[in-house]
Amino acid sequence: MVPSKKLRHSFAAVYAVLGWGALLTWSVTTHRALSIPEWVVLYTLAGLLLLVERFHIPVTAREVVISLETVYLVAFSWNFPLKTVVCGGFLYAIVSSLRYKGNWYTQAMNALAYVAAASVSIVTAHQLAGFQTGLNIMNIPLLMAYFVVYFFVNIVVVAIYLVLQTTRENTKFLLRSIFSVRAILVYTITLMIGMLMAIVIQNAGLGGAILFTGLIILVAWSYGDYFKMANHFKELAIRDELTGVYNHRHIQFVLDKWFAAETPFAFLMLDIDHFKRYNDVWGHVQGDEVLRKIATLLQEHSQTGEVCARYSADEFVLALPGSDLDELQVRAEAIRQAVEQMELPGVERVARTRLTVSIGIAVYPEMADNKKDLLMRVDDAIYKAKVTGNNQVFLYESVLDEVQQDLVNDDPEQEIVRTLRVFLAILNSKDRYTYAHTERDVNYATALAKKIGLPEERLRYLRLGAFLHDIGKVEVPTEILTKRGPLSKDEWVVMRNHVELGVSIVRPIQSLALCLPIIRHHHERYDGAGYPDGLKTQNIPLEARILTIADSFDAMTTSRPYQRKRNLEEAIQELRQCAGKQFDPDLVEPFIEAVQALGILPSGSQMDLA
Amino acid sequence: MVVVTIGLLLGLVVGWIRKGSFWALGNLSMRGLWLVALAFFLQSLAIHSLHGTAYILVLSAGYVGMMGFAGLNLHTAGIPWMATGTVANFTVMVMNGMGMPAYLPVVQHYSPQLVPLLLAGRLGKSIAMTPDTRLNFLGDIFTFKVASFVSLFSVGDVLIAVGLAVLLQYLMTHPKGGVVSGSIQKTAP
């Protein structure tokens, strides 16, 4: 069971308190009471830590900074009794935590990680050096041991905190960034500055520390300006100016990086439904405001390590490292609902007007093994969400994958299967609607076949046949396939010819011989008015009759340029009206029941925006 | 006073670096500013002219006035620091008969002539720090030396100086300063 966010935060708070309790108890019980000069050191340390907490020295332009607190704790621990350093660090932890209010434990934990690492490493160094105090910079092995212990303790304290406070995926992600070359470089620089300051204090006392602080603050301040400028340009390059989230360029970079590192992740694409119409009605100024609102909402729904970006005009993406599918769908659904409930201008003027989004999800490595495929998969998913009524979340799934698995497992004619796949890819590129439509046909036909108890072997060929039934369209010119108006007589001849073309494409594959009648006869009508052979009633193969219903139902319930989409009730009504004419009357009612059980179409009319 | 002066100068310098305006200081509007003047007067009166119970009462009244002023303006940038410093100073004085304990080895190092005077009794509001002194870590334990001038101060004084610096630079960088209780939640960045 995954603990709730609140519980995780409580764990983290308890951890910070217990950690400090243990450290203080240890330092108080093993050291004598503080003298007045030690109090002066304690106050000075706490004051300097509070001061430098607000300054960081950037190391690279990639948000890597030197935390100056470490520098002071290292320097002071080499020169003053440990109890002074621990108590000074504790005073700093208390005062600085106050600024974080509800998140106080985060800062208390940060301070604990610094102080614990400095304490344990200095005790180790003292033991190794035979309890000689003072820093001998020439004792390289000792300094190396000090470095390793510091690094180790710091990582352990932080790792425990991460395990308690955040999700497992985030912990892995953050730990991976801690163990990077860049992070070790930062540690090294920090510890070396700390050593340098230790030498200054050794020779010039607290006055030296204050002088050093002046230098550090000036360096941090002047360097900060340069890095601010560099970051400004970097932000301009990777952020979307309008919404403030990352842009298309950056998300491509992130994807490349994650693919290179083989990081499992989910890719969620969100497309605003009817956004063009919204812009036409309310104007682009208001449209921009909507984009900003949705970007803000997405950022609110994303967690540490996840990347939110504007992919194109009205499309946003969210890349989530290592998310599991169930959680992903719940989160996507939450985003969809949040957008639907978003307060927008126009709601008060046009009742029931809601802006909605369609969300597609694809996951690496389960669904694609390269960036191009992943983007195509998520595009497919979003297309399915759009074509079946908008305002939905669709996880990518492909009947083609399943069908191909069937073929490859059983058939030696793999070369032909590959050719078939190429044909399907061509069809997809020529007319996306037809491709997505065949996938839905497979699902509908399968549902009906199961409902009427079609044997397993016949069901398998029905699925294959349903998937390939429109493959002949690959030979139909694109302008006819995608024509918005009614077809001319000549064009109808070409279009009708697709069934015979399909048969001739599939015929060479012996193992698909049983699919041929399905492909050939799926446009026959029960009353004999169909094509190509004008077969009637039971003369039409059962599988073809099943597919005819599935095919027609999908055509009724999806948006086409030349035809208004029907909702579920309207489609059912039309099926019943055509029973005995176009469709086998014995199959219509089982089909209606099967489709209702599938539950993938929203019932009731969809309110179009504006 | 030296440390408070440093706080004042530091606040002005930081305010200037952060592109603040000296003229903005004129917008200072705080509640009960008269309490500060009264508190300074009472403290000065007690230290220089009064003894015994009158000294204790008037000096305490001075501190209470300062804390009242801080309480009225607690949401203003820098005031929480100043309030904490005042409370720290007042607490250690209350615990030690309204005398501020001074760390003798430091006095001995910089101004040995003052040691006998401190040991003999009160010097201004300062008293000698002994093993019996309560909350000695809140006493005058810091020193600051400029040329031949030496100043002894407590952690409370440092907090007051920090608060003053924060307040001044805040006023300089927020031209509409007008700091009224509850209206501004942010402290200086």
Side-chain angles (χ1 to χ4, degrees):
Chain A
M1 192 187 77
V2 179
S4 71
K5 203 171 174 183
K6 203 172 172 185
L7 192 63
R8 284 204 304 265
H9 288 195
S10 306
F11 283 153
V14 170
Y15 171 63
V17 170
L18 289 180
W20 269 114
L23 195 60
L24 282 170
T25 309
W26 170 70
S27 78
V28 168
T29 51
T30 54
H31 295 77
R32 59 176 173 73
L34 293 173
S35 66
I36 289 298
E38 285 166 354
W39 273 105
V40 173
V41 171
L42 184 156
Y43 287 138
T44 308
L45 174 61
L48 291 174
L49 288 175
L50 285 168
L51 179 65
V52 297
E53 185 205 350
R54 289 155 187 263
F55 294 91
H56 292 289
I57 299 181
V59 180
T60 71
R62 292 183 182 179
E63 293 130 19
V64 180
V65 294
I66 293 179
S67 64
L68 293 169
E69 292 94 322
T70 301
V71 170
Y72 285 81
L73 289 163
V74 167
F76 275 67
S77 65
W78 276 102
N79 286 287
F80 300 107
L82 192 52
K83 184 178 177 182
T84 318
V85 176
V86 172
C87 294
F90 182 60
L91 184 57
Y92 156 69
I94 290 177
V95 179
S96 61
S97 299
L98 291 177
R99 277 203 307 136
Y100 289 73
K101 295 187 178 156
N103 267 337
W104 61 270
Y105 53 86
T106 307
Q107 177 58 9
M109 189 357 262
N110 274 337
L112 175 68
Y114 295 138
V115 178
S119 306
V120 178
S121 52
I122 198 68
V123 168
T124 312
H126 282 163
Q127 287 196 335
L128 290 174
F131 296 97
Q132 285 175 354
T133 50
L135 173 63
N136 176 8
I137 206 72
M138 298 311 291
N139 193 345
I140 304 293
L142 181 72
L143 295 183
M144 293 290 286
Y146 178 85
F147 176 91
V148 171
V149 174
Y150 187 98
F151 183 76
F152 179 74
V153 176
N154 200 319
I155 297 293
V156 168
V157 175
V158 172
I160 295 173
Y161 173 75
L162 289 178
V163 167
L164 292 173
Q165 202 262 346
T166 184
T167 58
R168 188 179 297 173
E169 284 74 24
N170 281 344
T171 306
K172 275 189 206 162
F173 188 76
L174 291 169
L175 283 179
R176 211 175 294 141
S177 59
I178 288 174
F179 281 105
S180 65
V181 173
R182 211 179 305 139
I184 292 172
L185 172 79
V186 171
Y187 265 105
T188 313
I189 296 175
T190 311
L191 291 176
M192 284 169 87
I193 300 177
M195 301 285 178
L196 208 58
M197 187 187 238
I199 296 169
V200 172
I201 295 176
Q202 204 166 301
N203 291 286
L206 289 178
I210 290 166
L211 188 68
F212 205 97
T213 304
L215 174 72
I216 277 184
I217 287 176
L218 286 177
V219 169
W221 184 55
S222 54
Y223 253 60
D225 265 2
Y226 287 112
F227 277 93
K228 215 181 280 175
M229 194 168 68
N231 281 332
H232 173 67
F233 287 123
K234 184 184 155 196
E235 288 290 297
L236 284 182
I238 64 171
R239 291 262 176 205
D240 174 54
E241 194 187 353
L242 175 68
T243 57
V245 295
Y246 288 114
N247 60 16
H248 185 275
R249 177 187 291 130
H250 186 70
I251 196 69
Q252 297 290 341
F253 167 77
V254 171
L255 292 184
D256 286 339
K257 198 169 73 174
W258 288 0
F259 272 109
E262 296 182 358
T263 309
F265 69 95
F267 197 63
L268 189 150
M269 187 176 274
L270 176 151
D271 186 289
I272 307 174
D273 300 326
H274 307 298
F275 191 59
K276 186 185 176 309
R277 210 181 305 171
Y278 187 93
N279 269 334
D280 291 345
V281 173
W282 302 106
H284 285 84
V285 173
Q286 199 49 54
D288 286 353
E289 189 53 40
V290 167
L291 291 172
R292 270 190 223 108
K293 278 192 167 188
I294 290 182
T296 310
L297 188 140
L298 270 180
Q299 279 177 313
E300 285 166 3
H301 278 77
S302 56
Q303 300 168 0
T304 319
E306 298 175 352
V307 184
C308 171
R310 186 174 170 203
Y311 196 77
S312 65
D314 61 348
E315 283 177 325
F316 292 87
V317 293
L318 197 57
L320 316 99
S323 298
D324 75 83
L325 285 179
D326 291 340
E327 188 193 334
L328 204 62
Q329 279 180 298
V330 171
R331 287 184 60 187
E333 185 56 29
I335 293 172
R336 188 197 64 74
Q337 283 179 14
V339 173
E340 196 179 22
Q341 286 157 14
M342 210 162 64
E343 287 300 321
L344 290 170
V347 178
E348 70 282 3
R349 279 190 268 172
V350 182
R352 293 180 65 205
T353 296
R354 285 279 168 219
L355 199 70
T356 56
V357 288
S358 300
I359 300 176
I361 305 170
V363 181
Y364 166 78
E366 289 85 349
M367 297 176 186
D369 56 7
N370 62 66
K371 188 172 83 175
K372 191 179 159 203
D373 282 356
L374 183 83
L375 290 173
M376 282 169 62
R377 305 278 190 264
V378 81
D379 223 24
D380 270 359
I382 211 164
Y383 180 77
K384 283 175 194 166
K386 288 246 162 223
V387 87
T388 53
N390 297 315
N391 196 19
Q392 295 176 81
V393 175
F394 257 74
L395 185 66
Y396 171 78
E397 56 177 4
S398 170
V399 176
L400 174 63
D401 291 345
E402 293 168 32
V403 168
Q404 201 198 13
Q405 213 168 15
D406 273 2
L407 289 167
V408 172
N409 287 344
D410 293 1
D411 296 313
E413 299 148 309
Q414 289 192 19
E415 189 55 42
I416 302 171
V417 172
R418 270 198 286 275
T419 312
L420 217 55
R421 198 180 166 93
V422 171
F423 276 128
L424 286 166
I426 295 170
L427 183 59
N428 192 18
S429 65
K430 282 178 84 170
D431 179 17
R432 201 158 180 208
Y433 169 79
T434 302
Y435 183 78
H437 152 80
T438 54
E439 290 215 327
R440 291 190 300 276
D441 279 4
V442 175
N443 288 332
Y444 291 143
T446 307
L448 172 56
K450 283 183 177 167
K451 186 82 188 169
I452 60 169
L454 197 73
E456 194 59 38
E457 187 58 17
R458 290 180 70 181
L459 178 64
R460 179 168 173 261
Y461 284 104
L462 172 64
R463 281 170 64 78
L464 291 169
F467 198 76
L468 298 170
H469 76 278
D470 270 343
I471 199 162
K473 284 187 180 173
V474 78
E475 301 277 353
V476 177
T478 309
E479 52 273 22
I480 297 179
L481 273 181
T482 56
K483 189 171 176 183
R484 297 178 78 86
L487 299 180
S488 68
K489 203 175 171 186
D490 289 344
E491 287 167 341
W492 261 118
V493 171
V494 176
M495 184 62 118
R496 284 174 161 216
N497 200 29
H498 83 271
V499 287
E500 286 168 67
L501 287 169
V503 169
S504 61
I505 290 171
V506 178
R507 186 171 287 133
I509 309 173
Q510 290 299 319
S511 56
L512 291 179
L514 289 174
C515 297
L516 295 178
I518 304 172
I519 297 170
R520 183 173 180 89
H521 297 299
H522 74 272
H523 277 295
E524 303 287 1
R525 288 171 57 105
Y526 198 73
D527 57 10
Y531 65 89
D533 300 325
L535 297 184
K536 268 186 180 180
T537 60
Q538 306 299 317
N539 292 329
I540 307 166
L542 175 60
E543 287 85 344
R545 275 179 276 145
I546 289 173
L547 183 58
T548 305
I549 296 185
D551 197 29
S552 303
F553 177 77
D554 187 64
M556 289 177 209
T557 53
T558 48
S559 306
R560 299 295 283 149
Y562 49 79
Q563 159 194 294
R564 185 182 71 84
K565 182 184 73 182
R566 277 82 144 182
N567 65 36
L568 184 60
E569 285 79 15
E570 288 169 335
I572 288 174
Q573 199 184 353
E574 193 162 331
L575 286 177
R576 284 184 176 137
Q577 279 169 0
C578 296
K581 295 176 205 157
Q582 188 177 354
F583 311 124
D584 180 347
D586 295 337
L587 294 178
V588 169
E589 287 310 318
F591 181 76
I592 291 168
E593 285 168 27
V595 154
Q596 282 172 331
L598 273 181
I600 55 174
L601 271 182
S603 64
S605 61
Q606 286 283 307
M607 181 74 185
D608 274 349
L609 189 82
Chain B
M1 282 306 283
V2 173
V3 70
V4 175
T5 311
I6 291 172
L8 190 143
L9 291 174
L10 197 66
L12 295 177
V13 170
V14 173
W16 175 70
I17 289 173
R18 297 187 67 206
K19 300 184 173 64
S21 160
F22 289 104
W23 299 109
L25 291 172
N27 295 331
L28 175 70
S29 82
M30 296 173 100
R31 292 179 181 176
L33 261 177
W34 60 272
L35 277 171
V36 180
L38 179 67
F40 272 113
F41 170 73
L42 292 177
Q43 286 188 17
S44 180
L45 179 72
I47 290 167
H48 297 295
S49 316
L50 300 175
H51 302 281
T53 312
Y55 164 84
I56 291 173
L57 289 176
V58 174
L59 191 61
S60 300
Y63 272 99
V64 170
M66 283 298 281
M67 287 187 286
F69 167 75
L72 285 174
N73 299 282
L74 206 56
H75 291 295
T76 305
I79 297 292
W81 292 93
M82 293 166 90
T84 312
T86 308
V87 170
N89 282 346
F90 186 54
T91 307
V92 67
M93 290 179 74
V94 166
M95 299 300 282
N96 295 284
M98 285 313 282
M100 175 58 89
Y103 185 52
L104 278 182
V106 176
V107 184
Q108 175 73 45
H109 183 73
Y110 290 109
S111 311
Q113 71 282 6
L114 295 180
V115 174
L117 296 170
L118 274 173
L119 286 172
R122 203 182 301 275
L123 181 64
K125 60 178 180 180
S126 294
I127 56 171
M129 190 180 286
T130 66
D132 296 330
T133 300
R134 291 169 184 161
L135 303 179
N136 58 4
F137 55 89
L138 293 179
D140 282 342
I141 57 175
F142 293 92
T143 50
F144 188 84
K145 189 180 180 191
V146 181
S148 60
F149 185 77
V150 178
S151 176
L152 205 60
F153 54 92
S154 65
V155 69
D157 296 334
V158 175
L159 292 174
I160 291 170
V162 168
L164 187 62
V166 171
L167 173 65
L168 289 178
Q169 69 83 33
Y170 181 84
L171 287 173
M172 286 175 70
T173 50
H174 293 73
K176 290 192 178 172
V179 196
V180 178
S181 173
S183 63
I184 290 168
Q185 302 290 326
K186 274 166 60 178
T187 53

